[in-house]
Amino acid sequence: MTTAHPQHALPSYLNPDDLGPWGVYLQQIDRVTPHLGALSRWVETLKRPKRILTVDVPIERDDGSIAHYEGYRVQHNMSRGPGKGGVRFHQDVTLSEVMALSAWMTVKNAAVNVPYGGAKGGIRVDPKTLSRGELQRLTRRYTSEISLIIGPNKDIPAPDVNTNEQVMAWMMDSYAMIEGNLSTGVVTGKPISLGGSLGRREATGRGVFVVGREAAAQRGVAIDGARVAIQGFGNVGGVAATMFADAGARVVAVQDHTGTVVNEGGLDIAQLHKHVAEAGSVSGFPGAEALLDRDAFWGIESDILIPAALEQQITADNAPRIRTKIILEGANGPTTPEADDILTDKDVLIVPDVLANAGGVTVSYFEWVQDFSSFFWSEDEINARLTHIMQDAFKSVWSVAQEKKVTLRTATFILACTRVLQAREVRGLYP
Ligand code: GLU
């Protein structure tokens, strides 16, 4: 059966009643479309991933039983270059989420102008329930299943929530065994000893800090003495906390999945890192008060708020209570479109995920370039180049926002989608 406007129909694999994070992304695309001029003819291409691979990942558990997990790799767009984006291991991973994350990678990579399309992967698993051996078997089997579509010139995975350098080393090794040659550039975020890049681990948090400094200058907020509240104390939130504290800011609250710690005078971040390394979470940190009501975190007054955990955390429910001047989205997709509007009305400046957390993939790009040339750069050089790219991207986005009188999110989408669709148009359709 044909429909009157098939090009506007939702892909049949989506549940129209619950689009999840992909629905959030579609709303963001609808907001940018009126600003794309003649390129809007191509916008439908952004509303459908290029390729979706769903895989079954069976492993033998340590007790001899067989367990099956659901895995994905979604290649959203490859108009500007090979797919690029992380792999997430989390019990709540869904296809809608991986689709949205892959699309945000397309926008992010174009926003900082690295020569990649957008992709993302995930396995629906709680890695805390697996032994190290089980985690290794899961990673290797998943890599084998997606090896059909990944490769240094095709699609390059990287770390994301609950994946790290070790997982990347297993992925690289599995791919090398399957292909019969060692291609270090097939994944980024690898250990330094295997072609990883200096500065990659800190890159996302460092990028958040760099754009935060630019945003603060625009809003007349001095970093020295600024009150900062952070949700998430992992690879992104933990590094951003250190950099803001080193620059004289007072980190007044940190929340992780176990609890919230608060200190009006500023948490001792070095001590908090030590505590987390020993205790596994921020809870029970002696240098702070524990905030028992998780939701009360959103009401804590700050100058800069950094959601650096998972998506859809800032919603129409808590946005009215948020008292801050600047939000730096360290996480992907932390703010719903309704919350975006509420906060914009309250004059909160939101630096969107697709700009604020682009430092990670930027240094992934440096790693990939270093792997191809087998010539490795110093950490100072990497940090200087990262700072330069993030500052430039912020300035370009800021001027589009001023010129078009739109939010920084819409401005980033305008800049990025224009780049993607220009590439799409000039390449033309095959065949
Ligand atoms: N997972 C990170 C992100 O969401 C980094 C991706 C990469 O380095 O490819 O941006």
Side-chain angles (χ1 to χ4, degrees):
M1 207 179 84
T2 54
T3 54
H5 298 288
Q7 72 272 31
H8 297 309
L10 278 172
S12 60
Y13 46 79
L14 285 181
N15 171 4
D17 299 326
D18 183 12
L19 293 178
W22 180 253
V24 171
Y25 164 75
L26 288 182
Q27 287 185 58
Q28 293 168 345
I29 289 295
D30 285 342
R31 287 179 178 197
V32 72
T33 304
H35 300 282
L36 294 176
L39 285 172
S40 63
R41 172 173 173 246
W42 293 94
V43 82
E44 190 69 18
T45 203
L46 298 172
K47 296 190 188 176
R48 289 158 188 270
K50 174 183 175 63
R51 189 175 286 132
I52 295 175
L53 182 61
T54 304
V55 295
D56 173 39
V57 190
I59 59 161
E60 186 170 347
R61 298 289 307 257
D62 293 343
D63 65 5
S65 64
I66 308 293
H68 289 256
Y69 299 93
E70 201 170 292
Y72 301 103
R73 184 73 186 171
V74 177
Q75 296 172 338
H76 173 258
N77 188 284
M78 294 181 164
S79 294
R80 300 179 61 257
K84 184 87 192 82
V87 173
R88 163 175 305 203
F89 291 173
H90 196 276
Q91 60 276 16
D92 297 331
V93 162
T94 61
L95 176 58
S96 163
E97 183 193 33
V98 181
M99 284 167 62
L101 291 165
S102 71
W104 286 325
M105 288 310 303
T106 301
V107 177
K108 189 186 304 188
N109 292 333
V112 287
N113 215 358
V114 292
Y116 292 133
K120 200 86 176 195
I123 305 181
R124 191 172 168 85
V125 61
D126 179 358
K128 288 192 289 296
T129 63
L130 301 181
S131 69
R132 186 181 158 89
E134 290 168 338
L135 191 67
Q136 177 167 179
R137 293 197 287 281
L138 181 84
T139 303
R140 287 184 179 281
R141 181 60 188 250
Y142 170 73
T143 308
S144 141
E145 295 296 338
I146 67 164
S147 68
L148 301 169
I149 61 167
I150 63 169
N153 289 308
K154 289 158 86 176
D155 180 4
I156 305 111
D160 196 75
V161 174
N162 293 333
T163 55
N164 57 19
E165 293 175 4
Q166 176 61 75
V167 171
M168 293 306 116
W170 290 329
M171 288 190 76
M172 191 199 90
D173 182 70
S174 303
Y175 186 80
M177 292 296 127
I178 293 162
E179 291 295 309
N181 66 50
L182 184 71
S183 320
T184 50
V186 67
V187 288
T188 59
K190 297 179 296 293
I192 302 294
S193 57
L194 287 180
S197 177
L198 296 168
R200 173 62 186 87
R201 199 182 303 149
E202 299 79 21
T204 313
R206 180 175 291 275
V208 168
F209 174 73
V210 171
V211 294
R213 210 168 41 191
E214 298 294 316
Q218 293 292 351
R219 284 305 297 264
V221 172
I223 298 285
D224 194 10
R227 293 161 303 172
V228 179
I230 307 181
Q231 186 195 40
F233 202 66
N235 188 36
V236 184
V239 173
T242 301
M243 295 203 67
F244 275 101
D246 287 352
R250 266 187 295 149
V251 180
V252 293
V254 171
Q255 178 172 80
D256 71 6
H257 63 287
T258 66
T260 313
V261 290
V262 179
N263 186 336
E264 257 305 301
L267 295 156
D268 183 332
I269 297 300
Q271 288 302 323
L272 185 58
H273 276 293
K274 269 195 199 139
H275 174 81
V276 170
E278 283 157 21
S281 70
V282 300
S283 294
F285 179 54
E289 249 176 75
L291 188 69
L292 296 178
D293 176 5
R294 265 192 87 73
D295 195 44
F297 169 79
W298 302 108
I300 294 170
E301 199 172 348
S302 63
D303 300 299
I304 299 175
L305 173 63
I306 309 179
L310 294 170
E311 54 270 12
Q312 298 189 48
Q313 297 297 302
I314 303 180
T315 62
D317 178 50
N318 56 30
R321 281 180 281 134
I322 288 179
R323 290 178 297 160
T324 195
K325 296 180 182 133
I326 297 167
I327 293 180
L328 306 174
E329 293 186 340
N332 289 309
T335 312
T336 66
E338 300 75 33
D340 226 347
D341 292 343
I342 294 168
L343 292 162
T344 302
D345 285 347
K346 286 170 53 164
D347 208 24
V348 177
L349 181 65
I350 305 176
V351 186
D353 48 5
V354 283
L355 175 61
N357 72 32
V361 74
T362 300
V363 177
S364 275
Y365 166 58
F366 298 161
E367 179 174 333
W368 184 73
V369 168
Q370 292 171 83
D371 287 341
F372 272 122
S373 57
S374 294
F375 177 74
F376 291 88
W377 313 346
S378 72
E379 190 159 359
D380 283 350
E381 185 171 359
I382 284 156
N383 290 343
R385 285 179 190 260
L386 170 64
T387 301
H388 180 74
I389 287 182
M390 296 300 291
Q391 280 174 336
D392 256 20
F394 183 90
K395 286 190 181 119
S396 306
V397 167
W398 186 266
S399 68
V400 171
Q402 297 298 303
E403 188 196 319
K404 308 253 185 210
K405 302 203 176 359
V406 293
T407 62
L408 295 185
R409 189 181 318 277
T410 298
T412 311
F413 270 70
I414 292 174
L415 203 77
C417 295
T418 300
R419 285 183 181 146
V420 174
L421 297 181
Q422 274 170 348
R424 171 74 286 175
E425 182 171 65
V426 76
R427 284 176 64 162
L429 285 180
Y430 176 88

